[in-house]
Amino acid sequence: MKPSLLIRHLETKHPTYKQRNISFFQRLFNSPNLNPCLISTNKANEAEIEASYRISYHIARSGKNHTIAENLLFPCIKDAVKCMFGEDHVQKIKNIPLSNNTDSRRIKDKSIDIEATINERIKRKPFFSKQVDESTDVPDLSILLVIARYLNVNELEENLLLCYLLTKRYTGDDILNVIHGYFCENEMDWAKCCDVCTYGGKSMSGFYKGLRGRIEIVAPHVTWSHCCIHRQSLA
């Protein structure tokens, strides 16, 4: 709920408490005399939110439209629960938030959390390498992809680090500025980057004006390698 609505509710419904500070409400919340109905309601809300996040996770993995939860999944779940457990349990299912906007927000929250987790893992490691590539999506728009490779619990792990839309023709300087800006924004250290893998295009592998040459100015210790998949496809 919005803070403005909470303040209005406090002032109109509970005017005797509007002058209280936050410590009063914290003590009230931790009080053993708190109404057990409030505690059970809070636990029920947590279960509903968890169910909503789990469903949005499967929607994101399937790549389906976000409206599928409200238009298809929810009616199916409701009918299955009604047949198996009865009408009483259907009322609980109805409280699960599965609207289009809710699913979009849940998926965005997950992506932000995953990105933060990957960045923290990379920053804790002594070194990492990255692969820089360019791809094309459905509307034929160029996308810059940066994939990070690092050691996680004694196993090599690869994850997508950056996905950036290229709206115009980009040079090695422009690509470096995008990557360097992301590194600065997330406080990542170039000194820990040990290798960069790219394809053989001039904007990537050019020794002077390509990304390879520009990275050597920022981080001279970084080695460069040609992507074996691109090399195999050209063979």
Side-chain angles (χ1 to χ4, degrees):
M1 186 178 290
K2 295 181 179 179
S4 58
L5 298 180
L6 290 173
I7 294 174
R8 187 175 66 179
H9 175 80
L10 178 64
E11 293 176 348
T12 56
K13 302 297 183 180
H14 311 283
T16 56
Y17 297 108
K18 65 180 182 179
Q19 300 299 332
R20 300 281 188 172
N21 55 23
I22 190 172
S23 60
F24 168 79
F25 296 101
Q26 290 175 344
R27 290 196 305 270
L28 183 64
F29 179 78
N30 297 323
S31 173
N33 299 324
L34 186 65
N35 191 338
C37 294
L38 296 177
I39 299 177
S40 61
T41 302
N42 186 37
K43 291 182 178 179
N45 291 337
E46 290 180 358
E48 293 161 6
I49 293 174
E50 181 181 354
S52 176
Y53 269 101
R54 289 181 179 273
I55 293 173
S56 65
Y57 168 76
H58 291 290
I59 294 174
R61 291 204 60 179
S62 66
K64 300 295 184 181
N65 197 308
H66 298 169
T67 57
I68 193 174
E70 193 173 16
N71 297 336
L72 178 62
L73 297 181
F74 181 69
C76 293
I77 295 173
K78 186 170 63 174
D79 291 342
V81 170
K82 183 178 180 180
C83 294
M84 297 292 294
F85 304 105
E87 188 67 32
D88 295 338
H89 291 80
V90 174
Q91 299 302 321
K92 298 179 181 179
I93 298 297
K94 288 182 178 179
N95 295 327
I96 300 176
L98 291 176
S99 67
N100 178 26
N101 293 335
T102 300
D103 289 332
S104 300
R105 189 167 61 252
R106 300 276 191 258
I107 293 172
K108 184 177 181 180
D109 292 342
K110 287 177 180 292
S111 64
I112 293 174
D113 181 70
I114 292 172
E115 181 183 14
T117 301
I118 294 174
N119 289 341
E120 286 300 321
R121 287 179 182 176
I122 292 175
K123 287 189 284 188
R124 288 199 304 264
K125 303 306 175 183
F127 56 86
F128 67 93
S129 63
K130 65 176 183 286
Q131 179 177 350
V132 184
D133 199 356
E134 184 181 348
S135 182
T136 305
D137 63 357
V138 177
D140 291 334
L141 295 175
S142 297
I143 298 176
L144 177 67
L145 301 175
V146 180
I147 301 172
R149 191 178 190 186
Y150 52 92
L151 194 65
N152 184 33
V153 194
N154 299 325
E155 291 185 1
L156 285 175
E157 188 173 280
E158 290 184 355
N159 277 300
L160 181 64
L161 183 65
L162 174 62
C163 180
Y164 186 83
L165 179 63
L166 301 176
T167 57
K168 59 181 181 179
R169 181 178 176 271
Y170 269 64
T171 62
D173 279 328
D174 298 325
I175 297 174
L176 176 63
N177 290 335
V178 172
I179 300 175
H180 186 65
Y182 184 84
F183 273 36
C184 294
E185 180 182 353
N186 294 277
E187 299 179 352
M188 302 177 71
D189 191 2
W190 273 104
K192 294 183 178 181
C193 181
C194 61
D195 183 78
V196 175
C197 178
T198 69
Y199 61 88
K202 288 185 178 180
S203 62
M204 292 288 185
S205 62
F207 189 79
Y208 295 103
K209 295 184 178 181
L211 177 64
R212 174 187 178 183
R214 297 308 180 186
I215 287 180
E216 287 189 356
I217 299 175
V218 179
H221 66 282
V222 176
T223 59
W224 176 83
S225 56
H226 193 287
C227 178
C228 61
I229 298 177
H230 281 276
R231 190 160 46 191
Q232 183 178 0
S233 64
L234 294 174

